[in-house]
Amino acid sequence: MSVLDATPGGDLQALENELLEAIGAAGDLNALEKVRIAALGKKGRISLLMKSLGTMAPEERKAFGQTVNGLKQRVSDALSARKDHLDAAELAGRLATEQVDISLAVRPGPLREGRIHPVSQVMDEINEIFADLGFSVAEGPDIESDYNNFTALNIPLEHPARQEHDTFYFNEKADGSRRVLRTHMSPVQIRTMLQEKPPLRIIAPGRVYRGDSDQTHTPMFHQVEGLVIDTETHMGHLKWVLEEFCKAIFEVDIVKMRFRASHFPFTEPSMEVDIGYTMVGNEMRIGEGDDWLEILGCGMVHPNVLRNVNLDPEIYQGFAFGVGIDRIAMLKYGMPDLRAFFAADLRWLKHYGFLPLDVPTLAGGLSR
Ligand code: PHE
């Protein structure tokens, strides 16, 4: 029997019954989709009936068209009702079987395995302390120009300080200039003063390089530079900032500090700062006692440096300091050998490292 023979109320009724029955019997979305294609797909039975309209005489076409349209509508409605039903049933099934026990302990994952390196931890602590004092963080590249690393900092070509730094030099360029692996963080002073207008309050933590290696020296180590430039900055400000910093980083209420006259080409006057400590058994008590440890260099920014960045020393002055970060980490967390810091030994990191979610904050405690 061809669908073309179908007459309204006859075979069409049989077709409708058959389709509605198949829809009701479809047990899942896949089966339902098959029924839909068989009825309404390109070569589906209803679709073929619609196509056959084109071959009919106009008077026949009208009545037959209405009937087929009605059929199509009822089958579509039945399909979507069945789909809603199957969707709901599937969801109910999943809700019943896929239960999550939210009272179970968290499975140990990568976050518990990983450790923050003590140097990163101390850098975060330092950033946190200086942010509280109103400093922002400045940056510069590890590969610096000779000019920024030395000349602009009042260290001219034949100055002996260049030898003291055991500098790693790159090959000379055609124009005679050469680049270096920065030997200290002070070039970031120059970059900052050239880019921004005073008042300035910045710190710059980063890697520095010098050809030197023993128990307390590695060819790459870390420093944080500090720079304050304003119109009425003096040594009292310098001393206060460094005292606040030392108390905060070592997490003690009083720190014995000693400012020793020293020399840096880029500061005048220049000082080195020692902090008092005492040994109790194997433990190092920081801030008290009669032994001294050097932890940083500092001073008032040299007028020549200000001139090199086009600041008038008659109007502006300020102070700078440079702190050895690895040094601080060794002291604070009792790690005797600096070389172990960079040996990438997982056992060492497990022992001395910090949990990633223990982020240092002043309010919550820096090291806990
Ligand atoms: N740049 C000096 C160093 O690496 C430290 C320092 C910084 C001293 C700023 C004074 C002022 O040795």
Side-chain angles (χ1 to χ4, degrees):
M1 175 199 71
S2 156
V3 281
L4 290 182
D5 301 334
T7 53
D11 289 332
L12 277 190
Q13 187 59 54
L15 177 59
E16 179 167 347
N17 291 344
E18 187 190 326
L19 287 174
L20 291 181
E21 198 176 312
I23 289 169
D28 58 32
L29 292 169
N30 261 338
L32 186 64
E33 178 63 4
K34 279 188 188 131
V35 180
R36 188 192 66 79
I37 292 171
L40 301 173
K42 246 186 174 174
K43 290 178 184 158
R45 293 166 73 185
I46 296 178
S47 308
L48 291 178
L49 284 174
M50 298 295 272
K51 270 188 199 152
S52 71
L53 288 173
T55 65
M56 286 181 177
E59 51 296 357
E60 246 184 318
R61 188 187 300 158
K62 193 172 176 223
F64 191 67
Q66 274 175 1
T67 317
V68 177
N69 263 332
L71 165 64
K72 186 180 175 190
Q73 191 59 52
R74 287 189 297 281
V75 169
S76 296
D77 290 348
L79 278 167
S80 71
R82 184 68 187 160
K83 183 172 183 312
D84 288 348
H85 174 80
L86 290 174
D87 279 342
E90 189 190 281
L91 182 62
R94 281 177 50 191
L95 285 176
T97 54
E98 295 179 13
Q99 281 184 1
V100 176
D101 183 349
I102 58 166
S103 69
L104 281 177
V106 176
R107 230 178 284 151
L111 264 183
R112 307 206 85 217
E113 287 301 305
R115 289 293 182 279
I116 301 295
H117 194 286
V119 170
S120 304
Q121 170 79 15
V122 170
M123 277 191 180
D124 289 347
E125 294 178 13
I126 291 173
N127 289 346
E128 179 69 14
I129 294 167
F130 281 105
D132 192 52
L133 295 176
F135 286 64
S136 51
V137 172
E139 292 182 318
D142 292 29
I143 298 175
E144 250 310 351
S145 63
D146 182 296
Y147 179 82
N148 282 348
N149 194 79
F150 293 123
T151 316
L153 287 161
N154 200 31
I155 312 177
L157 251 182
E158 299 312 325
H159 197 284
R162 292 193 174 217
Q163 267 76 60
E164 281 162 33
H165 278 200
D166 297 310
T167 311
F168 292 112
Y169 286 102
F170 286 78
N171 292 336
E172 252 178 42
K173 291 198 211 162
D175 64 4
S177 69
R178 56 187 174 173
R179 293 184 299 167
V180 301
L181 285 176
R182 64 182 172 200
T183 59
H184 52 176
M185 289 304 289
S186 301
V188 180
Q189 285 188 33
I190 302 299
R191 290 177 174 274
T192 307
M193 288 188 284
L194 285 174
Q195 272 160 25
E196 292 168 41
K197 292 264 146 292
L200 296 173
R201 274 197 295 274
I202 58 110
I203 55 165
R207 296 189 190 94
V208 299
Y209 306 83
R210 294 181 197 177
D212 205 353
S213 185
D214 60 35
Q215 193 181 351
T216 52
H217 295 89
T218 48
M220 185 281 299
F221 57 105
H222 300 84
Q223 287 190 339
V224 58
E225 186 85 3
L227 175 71
V228 171
I229 301 285
D230 208 336
T231 52
E232 285 170 43
T233 319
H234 54 71
M235 295 241 304
H237 296 134
L238 166 60
K239 192 163 180 249
W240 182 82
V241 164
L242 292 177
E243 274 173 9
E244 287 303 304
F245 167 67
C246 287
K247 283 193 283 186
I249 192 77
F250 291 114
E251 301 179 65
V252 289
D253 292 331
I254 335 165
V255 180
K256 235 167 107 176
M257 294 175 81
R258 180 166 81 174
F259 287 74
R260 258 185 306 111
S262 182
H263 175 264
F264 298 103
F266 33 90
T267 47
E268 180 59 35
S270 301
M271 288 147 290
E272 281 174 307
V273 176
D274 303 332
I275 53 169
Y277 75 96
T278 188
M279 294 300 290
V280 182
N282 270 340
E283 193 204 337
M284 185 172 210
R285 293 257 172 88
I286 292 166
E288 45 186 283
D290 295 323
D291 294 311
W292 298 100
L293 258 172
E294 183 198 322
I295 57 156
L296 62 91
C298 62
M300 301 304 291
V301 177
H302 197 292
N304 286 350
V305 174
L306 294 172
R307 284 188 202 103
N308 287 341
V309 293
N310 312 314
L311 289 178
D312 182 352
E314 298 298 325
I315 301 173
Y316 295 108
Q317 49 334 105
F319 61 85
F321 52 87
V323 187
I325 294 177
D326 317 80
R327 241 315 158 78
I328 301 244
M330 288 172 82
L331 289 176
K332 183 166 182 183
Y333 296 113
M335 300 173 288
D337 192 335
L338 182 62
R339 288 167 300 193
F341 277 47
F342 311 116
D345 183 336
L346 270 180
R347 294 163 304 176
W348 183 89
L349 196 57
K350 279 258 148 75
H351 182 77
Y352 288 112
F354 294 81
L355 287 173
L357 294 179
D358 282 348
V359 178
T361 64
L362 286 180
L366 287 181
S367 63
R368 257 165 285 195

